Amino acid sequence: AIQLTQSPSSLSASVGDRVTITCRASQGISSALAWYQQKPGKAPKLLIYDASSLESGVPSRFSGSGSGTDFTLTISSLQPEDFATYYCQQFNNYPLTFGGGTKVEIK
Amino acid sequence: QVQLVQSGAEVKKPGASVKVSCKASGYTFTGYYMHWVRQAPGQGLEWMGWINPNSGGTNYAQKFQGRVTMTRDTSISTAYMELSRLRSDDTAVYYCARDPYSSGWSVFDYWGQGTLVTVSS
């Protein structure tokens, strides 16, 4: 199975900060990567698909980049509603797998 | 609007089975694969498999082969996930999630609200 390693596992940031989360795949997955946001007690929400495409309705402060094994999710200016846990997911190989998550907390 | 509404929380004893339902509305049920993903308390997300509601074809993660069965009833636009021989480490929130690519290799654009399954003696 393809392992996805997210870093950091948690971070503290302030409103307005630029935040970057990375996801590294154990083998190349082309651009078959998605990012999700999950708030406590809620289902995950799709933010980015195909590594860099913004899902409809998602604010433009979210962006994704990368291909092959290294990927990045960037929040250009952190807003109060962005404090959550973020997961990457690969869909290049079975089993579909997720990263371990990055918790974004208020500084 | 697309909605996936799941059945309520369950408490089961070890060795028992559980069947979770996921009722779809707001789109053509047979047009999109449905996946199941679970999340143990305080843990990450784990993919279990998918069902093609049109054909009934399935693909299960190897970890769950032999214990999971995914079915559907197209007359009521509902997908089901049954997990048997439950163990304590099956305690988790189980989600259904729609596959917008309908290919199996996909992301998940709409999710159910989740169903907590607790396995305890």
Side-chain angles (χ1 to χ4, degrees):
Chain A
I2 293 176
Q3 311 296 324
L4 296 178
T5 302
Q6 287 185 233
S7 59
S9 56
S10 66
L11 64 91
S12 295
S14 301
V15 173
D17 283 354
R18 182 181 182 88
V19 168
T20 299
I21 299 168
T22 64
C23 178
R24 174 162 289 175
S26 59
Q27 64 187 75
I29 57 171
S30 186
S31 297
L33 189 103
W35 290 96
Y36 300 85
Q37 175 193 69
Q38 186 178 34
K39 296 182 179 179
K42 300 294 186 182
K45 174 187 175 182
L46 178 63
L47 301 175
I48 301 286
Y49 62 95
D50 294 348
S52 60
S53 297
L54 192 67
E55 174 70 351
S56 176
V58 174
S60 59
R61 63 181 178 273
F62 291 93
S63 64
S65 65
S67 68
T69 59
D70 293 303
F71 302 86
T72 299
L73 173 71
T74 300
I75 309 171
S76 60
S77 177
L78 198 66
Q79 297 301 300
E81 60 268 31
D82 301 336
F83 291 96
T85 300
Y86 294 84
Y87 293 94
C88 56
Q89 176 235 331
Q90 67 81 20
F91 53 99
N92 193 69
N93 287 71
Y94 287 129
L96 308 184
T97 51
F98 293 85
T102 296
K103 187 173 184 179
V104 177
E105 299 175 302
I106 302 171
K107 182 183 283 185
Chain B
Q1 72 284 18
V2 173
Q3 277 194 302
L4 302 176
V5 179
Q6 298 183 221
S7 48
E10 303 261 14
V11 179
K12 296 291 182 181
K13 294 194 183 302
S17 297
V18 68
K19 190 171 186 177
V20 179
S21 68
C22 170
K23 183 171 177 59
S25 61
Y27 72 98
T28 302
F29 177 64
T30 52
Y32 297 83
Y33 288 25
M34 191 73 78
H35 295 244
W36 290 87
V37 175
R38 76 177 187 179
Q39 185 170 38
Q43 302 301 308
L45 299 160
E46 182 173 35
W47 177 76
M48 299 180 70
W50 56 252
I51 182 168
N52 176 347
N54 187 43
S55 66
T58 56
N59 184 13
Y60 304 141
Q62 189 170 10
K63 173 176 179 176
F64 300 102
Q65 288 272 3
R67 283 211 303 145
V68 71
T69 305
M70 296 177 189
T71 57
R72 91 293 189 214
D73 184 339
T74 58
S75 69
I76 56 171
S77 299
T78 299
Y80 302 92
M81 186 284 299
E82 183 171 21
L83 189 63
S84 64
R85 303 194 300 278
L86 289 168
R87 307 184 292 254
S88 58
D89 62 357
D90 291 318
T91 294
V93 175
Y94 290 76
Y95 294 101
C96 58
R98 194 183 79 157
D99 172 347
Y101 300 164
S102 257
S103 70
W105 286 273
S106 185
V107 303
F108 313 116
D109 63 347
Y110 288 92
W111 296 64
Q113 83 276 19
T115 297
L116 175 62
V117 175
T118 302
V119 183
S120 174
S121 55

